[in-house]
Amino acid sequence: MPQLPPGDPVPRDGALPASALGSMREETFSLYLHVPFCSVRCGYCDFNTYTLTELGDETGASLDTWVDGVAAELDLAVRVLTADGGALPVVDTVFVGGGTPSLLGAEDLGRALEVVRERFAVAEDLEVTTEANPDQVDEEFAWGLAEAGYTRMSVGMQSAVPHVLATLDRTHDPANVERAVEAGRAAGLAVSVDLIHGTPGESLVDWRASVEAAIALRPDHVSAYALTIEEGTALHRRVARGELPEPDEDDQADKYELADDLLGAAGYGWYEVSNWARTEAGRCRHNEHYWDGGHWWGVGPGAHSHVGGVRFWNVKHPRAWAQRLSTGVTPAAAREVLTAEQVTEERVMLGIRRREGLALDDVPAEGRGAVAALIGDGLLEGVPAVRDRRLVLTRRGRLLADLVMGRLLGL
């Protein structure tokens, strides 16, 4: 599990600079709620998660007390965000991630959304998403989410092939993915499914089967990510011991192109390098908010926030998070004020990955000279994108997005 990055100290009350609060109010605002609990830890995952047996039933470190901790951190957020006497921002999206949020059940997930509404004004078209393990989704769960005000459910499918799931240490029954998607749709929720390609031992035939299985479910949204072997994970240790091969970049590129072909033929359009939606309304507005450099408060152990050019992150362990909140002290471990160079770098890095592309005016002077060559190399679209002063990746460019980003930054 990765360590938190170094940063500057945070005042005990979590206070932010007045300049950050002022700029925050000019735009929409989002909340991310992190659920750190899992039944088992998947071998590829390096997220800030803990199994229930690891944590026991201590205050702040159990399913029963998580919502209370969320309420306490939101109370602190309200104090911090209104410290200058200004109004609270209107919340446009809420995303509950993890971990395994569905372990909480629909009732507690509903309580979490209720405490949000008690403290913040929310947009009329509020988007509320939760991630869910397909084994924990049935009609009662899905209807409970919808009645509580959730609008989207993201189902962790990963693969339709049993041996691939076993390599990833995923324990869900592949047959339950269909049940989960159907339950979500019947309850009126928009449904997304998540896939991972490039797992050691996964053939191109296996990957085709997974993508076709996902398409057959007719979800509103599909995310497909290339597997990365993160240091410190069980999968990393297996690769290091030679038990499994490292993912092959050419194989992952072939699988990306196959997914794009299959999804495109089924009516899904890419709107970010790893994300496809059946309609414009099916896009995940919460993630788009991140990619736009928006403002959000991350609630929960290890959650990261960005408010008015200040990024801060919470202590990782649920017990430490709860203890700080119980004494009125911010759970933030450290923070940084973004420099103009960092803002530019992130705008390029995130903007170039989107279908709408990156505004040419957002490219720093040292990178503009690379634009013509990137078009010539077939990595950026030419006319009419250039006429609109937008830089848009071709499909080949999507496969080499990091290279394109580096050249645009003059690296």
Side-chain angles (χ1 to χ4, degrees):
M1 191 180 296
Q3 299 299 310
L4 289 172
D8 298 324
V10 180
R12 286 176 59 83
D13 62 359
L16 290 168
S19 59
L21 298 179
S23 63
M24 165 202 71
R25 295 193 178 93
E26 299 171 3
E27 302 175 21
T28 55
F29 196 83
S30 294
L31 293 172
Y32 171 76
L33 312 183
H34 184 69
V35 179
F37 311 114
C38 286
S39 297
V40 296
R41 181 174 291 111
C42 297
Y44 64 94
C45 180
D46 73 336
F47 293 165
N48 187 43
T49 62
Y50 306 82
T51 64
L52 299 179
T53 53
E54 286 177 320
L55 293 172
D57 59 358
E58 295 186 40
T59 300
S62 72
L63 290 171
D64 293 339
T65 57
W66 178 79
V67 176
D68 295 332
V70 168
E73 186 168 353
L74 288 175
D75 285 338
L76 181 141
V78 168
R79 294 195 298 271
V80 170
L81 296 174
T82 60
D84 62 350
L88 276 173
V90 175
V91 173
D92 184 59
T93 68
V94 178
F95 196 105
V96 186
T100 312
S102 48
L103 278 174
L104 289 163
E107 183 176 351
D108 276 351
L109 287 171
R111 285 181 55 215
L113 184 55
E114 183 179 346
V115 300
V116 168
R117 291 180 179 275
E118 288 172 349
R119 290 155 177 80
F120 286 84
V122 299
E124 288 187 10
D125 61 345
L126 178 69
E127 177 192 90
V128 189
T129 306
T130 186
E131 296 174 339
N133 183 306
D135 284 350
Q136 294 152 5
V137 178
D138 55 20
E139 289 187 5
E140 182 180 0
F141 177 84
W143 278 104
L145 291 181
E147 290 171 358
Y150 283 76
T151 62
R152 297 180 77 253
M153 180 173 64
S154 180
V155 178
M157 178 178 178
Q158 316 313 350
S159 173
V161 180
H163 79 82
V164 175
L165 291 172
T167 300
L168 295 172
D169 291 326
R170 294 286 297 185
T171 59
H172 72 262
D173 183 344
N176 285 339
V177 175
E178 180 178 2
R179 182 186 70 164
V181 172
E182 290 179 350
R185 184 180 294 115
L189 300 173
V191 180
S192 175
V193 296
D194 294 343
L195 297 171
I196 292 177
H197 62 81
T199 300
E202 178 190 61
S203 68
L204 199 61
V205 172
D206 291 333
W207 176 239
R208 175 184 285 273
S210 293
V211 177
E212 289 179 341
I215 290 171
L217 300 175
R218 297 297 291 163
D220 302 276
H221 183 282
V222 176
S223 296
Y225 299 102
L227 177 69
T228 56
I229 306 295
E230 302 290 354
E231 190 171 350
T233 63
L235 190 57
H236 179 267
R237 291 189 289 273
R238 294 183 68 188
V239 170
R241 290 194 297 264
E243 297 174 14
L244 296 170
E246 289 194 40
D248 179 83
E249 290 185 0
D250 290 336
D251 174 70
Q252 290 188 325
D254 290 342
K255 288 171 179 173
Y256 181 89
E257 291 182 329
L258 177 59
D260 194 49
D261 285 340
L262 295 173
L263 288 164
Y268 292 83
W270 80 280
Y271 71 100
E272 192 274 344
V273 167
S274 299
N275 290 274
W276 291 257
R278 196 147 48 95
T279 65
E280 292 298 300
R283 292 161 65 147
C284 179
R285 283 168 35 211
H286 185 87
N287 284 344
E288 289 187 301
H289 194 63
Y290 291 152
W291 302 328
D292 285 337
H295 310 277
W296 75 91
W297 192 291
V299 176
H304 287 232
S305 304
H306 171 255
V307 178
V310 180
R311 182 182 290 126
F312 49 100
W313 45 91
N314 287 349
V315 293
K316 295 181 67 172
H317 200 281
R319 190 178 308 114
W321 171 71
Q323 288 173 345
R324 289 195 179 203
L325 288 168
S326 69
T327 58
V329 175
T330 176
R335 74 184 188 189
E336 63 176 338
V337 178
L338 299 179
T339 65
E341 290 77 13
Q342 285 176 302
V343 171
T344 296
E345 180 178 324
E346 292 186 6
R347 185 180 295 124
V348 171
M349 179 177 64
L350 298 173
I352 197 60
R353 293 177 60 87
R354 302 186 63 185
R355 188 188 71 193
E356 289 79 9
L358 176 71
L360 181 59
D361 291 343
D362 288 336
V363 178
E366 58 268 28
R368 293 189 183 181
V371 171
L374 289 169
I375 294 172
D377 290 341
L379 301 178
L380 290 176
E381 292 183 4
V383 178
V386 172
R387 185 187 302 126
D388 295 334
R389 297 182 63 81
R390 309 291 300 184
L391 305 182
V392 180
L393 293 172
T394 61
R395 187 161 81 170
R396 181 166 177 263
R398 281 184 264 160
L399 292 170
L400 298 170
D402 287 346
L403 181 149
V404 174
M405 181 266 292
R407 290 188 183 176
L408 292 176
L409 290 171
L411 302 178

